[in-house]
Amino acid sequence: MLITSAKEVAELPNLKAVPSNYYVDNHHNYSLPAAIIDTNDDDDSLIPIIDFSLLSSEDPHQLSKAIQDLGRACQHWGFFMLVNHGIEEGLMEELIGVTNEFFLMPEEDKWKYKGENVFDPIKYGTSFNYTSNETNFYWRDFLKLSLHPQFHSPDQPNNFREVLRDYCDKSRKVARMLLSGISESLGLEKELMEKSLDLDSGFELLVANYYPACPQPELVLGLPPHSDFGLLTLLIQNDVGGLQIQHNGKWININPIPNSILVNTGDHLEIFTNGKYKSVLHRAIVNKEARISIGIANCPAMNAIVSPADSPLIQNERLPPLYLPKEYREYVEMQQTKPLDGKSCLDQIKINSPSKML
């Protein structure tokens, strides 16, 4: 099957209309939301802001408040903007720049990284799962890189590897401290998640997304509503908007604070906390300008069995386990080989979920 990237389609001479196989209406599992609002429209839509520097404060009252704020953001939003994280703004801009250079390379240079399997360490592609005989597409090209426990990077652009390694080393430290703070916010041992899920061997996946400029952005989607696998995703982007999260039944446009990192909770944090900190539904819309986003999913080790049964959280709150135990690798394979459809994969391992009663 001949595969055409979204960027190639967007750059067709005299393109004035989007090809019909990109139309949102052709995706059977998508329905229009009830409302879309901006983060500045009302108090209800004020995205939580977490000051990372306070998580290492020597003032016990300040530290306690920072941990409580982090817990509230995870419980009530599943999303927050992280400021004062210690990663240089210049490094973040450099990573976005070299990522843009990658997507601007000739198509034949990018397609040599075309992967066939879910866990290929370097994988370039288009839409969501182009290897599954998709006939309808999302307006998106991507580059996926396994960063940990083994580090992988394409050979081009020339300085991509150096910039990426520097950023991901610093991003990993930020993620680990956030996960420790999240454990404490639950009243658990600070290092419980690290030990239970073997985070020293944890899987980290970078997903770089390129959403080309679109002549009819209202007709297509970059990505449909979905939640992320893993524990936390840390995301940066260029200055073009497009990320929306679902909160209280409304879609909210995310307008990031300059130099902030956007953080969202993943499915495996929901499982580990037995549903207390739920993964957040989000999607990507497109614009008449190209958008780049770079997310790093911070995950359990591939062979880790993720289950709320491993955590005292259940006993502390006297709740029965709400999710079946599942090896992390198996969960990712399940999600990445099927169409994106909200939180359908997570629903499959819920105890007494409708899918278990059929």
Side-chain angles (χ1 to χ4, degrees):
M1 180 179 69
L2 179 63
I3 302 171
T4 304
S5 71
K7 182 175 178 293
E8 281 184 283
V9 175
E11 293 176 350
L12 290 173
N14 304 315
L15 179 71
K16 296 180 180 178
V18 172
S20 61
N21 58 337
Y22 284 92
Y23 286 2
V24 168
D25 290 345
N26 290 338
H27 295 280
H28 72 279
N29 58 346
Y30 178 74
S31 59
L32 290 173
I36 300 175
I37 58 178
D38 283 311
T39 50
N40 299 323
D41 281 353
D42 58 49
D43 291 340
D44 238 6
S45 62
L46 293 177
I47 301 295
I49 298 170
I50 299 297
D51 187 337
F52 182 76
S53 66
L54 298 181
L55 292 172
S56 56
S57 173
E58 295 182 358
D59 181 333
H61 298 292
Q62 197 172 55
L63 176 60
S64 176
K65 183 180 184 303
I67 290 173
Q68 289 174 18
D69 289 344
L70 178 60
R72 279 193 291 268
C74 291
Q75 184 171 6
H76 299 299
W77 281 83
F79 185 90
F80 53 89
M81 298 188 200
L82 191 69
V83 299
N84 296 327
H85 44 72
I87 301 179
E88 303 90 338
E89 185 173 10
L91 177 59
M92 295 163 64
E93 291 175 347
E94 196 172 6
L95 180 60
I96 291 170
V98 293
T99 301
N100 186 53
E101 288 179 36
F102 175 86
F103 285 111
L104 295 180
M105 292 192 318
E107 291 297 319
E108 60 270 21
D109 291 342
K110 291 180 290 186
W111 280 114
K112 73 179 183 179
Y113 297 111
K114 174 179 175 286
E116 299 292 344
N117 302 306
V118 170
F119 295 110
D120 285 337
I122 302 178
K123 187 174 181 179
Y124 169 74
T126 191
S127 190
F128 170 67
N129 187 13
Y130 65 91
T131 59
S132 65
N133 299 316
E134 281 184 311
T135 55
N136 298 306
F137 299 94
Y138 296 106
W139 196 260
R140 171 229 193 195
D141 298 329
F142 64 81
L143 174 66
K144 296 183 180 182
L145 304 173
S146 296
L147 302 178
H148 193 266
Q150 287 83 37
F151 177 84
H152 300 272
S153 171
D155 299 326
Q156 298 174 283
N158 291 334
N159 58 337
F160 197 170
R161 179 182 297 270
E162 178 184 349
V163 173
L164 176 60
R165 187 183 290 276
D166 190 11
Y167 177 80
C168 75
D169 286 347
K170 293 175 178 177
S171 172
R172 184 177 307 121
K173 293 176 182 177
V174 170
R176 291 289 286 270
M177 183 168 282
L178 286 174
L179 290 171
S180 292
I182 288 170
S183 284
E184 288 188 280
S185 76
L186 292 162
L188 305 176
E189 178 191 344
K190 184 177 182 180
E191 307 304 331
L192 179 64
M193 208 178 307
E194 177 181 329
K195 296 174 183 175
S196 300
L197 303 178
D198 190 14
L199 296 188
D200 285 341
S201 300
F203 180 61
E204 288 178 21
L205 179 72
L206 177 139
V207 181
N209 303 295
Y210 184 86
Y211 305 101
C214 183
Q216 296 174 296
E218 71 280 1
L219 296 181
V220 305
L221 272 177
L223 278 175
H226 65 284
S227 59
D228 292 346
F229 58 72
L231 299 165
L232 291 178
T233 298
L234 276 61
L235 183 135
I236 60 175
Q237 62 177 39
N238 65 356
D239 57 3
V240 178
L243 175 64
Q244 296 180 337
I245 67 167
Q246 193 174 79
H247 181 66
N248 291 338
K250 300 175 182 177
W251 285 105
I252 297 178
N253 292 317
I254 301 301
N255 303 308
I257 297 171
N259 196 33
S260 64
I261 295 175
L262 306 177
V263 183
N264 67 265
T265 53
D267 290 348
H268 290 85
L269 188 62
E270 178 169 338
I271 297 167
F272 186 81
T273 64
N274 205 33
K276 186 166 185 176
Y277 292 173
K278 291 180 170 56
S279 56
V280 65
L281 276 177
H282 53 287
R283 66 179 188 174
I285 61 170
V286 300
N287 303 274
K288 293 190 175 182
E289 300 175 82
R291 175 175 178 251
I292 291 176
S293 68
I294 303 168
I296 295 182
N298 296 268
C299 311
M302 279 291 186
N303 61 352
I305 305 298
V306 187
S307 167
D310 293 334
S311 165
L313 193 65
I314 301 170
Q315 290 84 355
N316 290 350
E317 300 202 357
R318 298 181 180 177
L319 292 174
L322 301 178
Y323 305 88
L324 297 169
K326 196 170 189 68
E327 186 183 55
Y328 174 71
R329 176 189 291 273
E330 292 179 0
Y331 187 95
V332 175
E333 287 175 336
M334 178 174 67
Q335 193 211 46
Q336 293 293 297
T337 54
K338 296 181 179 181
L340 278 183
D341 186 9
K343 299 173 75 168
S344 59
C345 288
L346 192 59
D347 289 341
Q348 288 187 44
I349 63 168
K350 279 185 178 178
I351 297 175
N352 295 327
S353 71
S355 63
K356 291 285 178 294
M357 299 169 67
L358 296 176

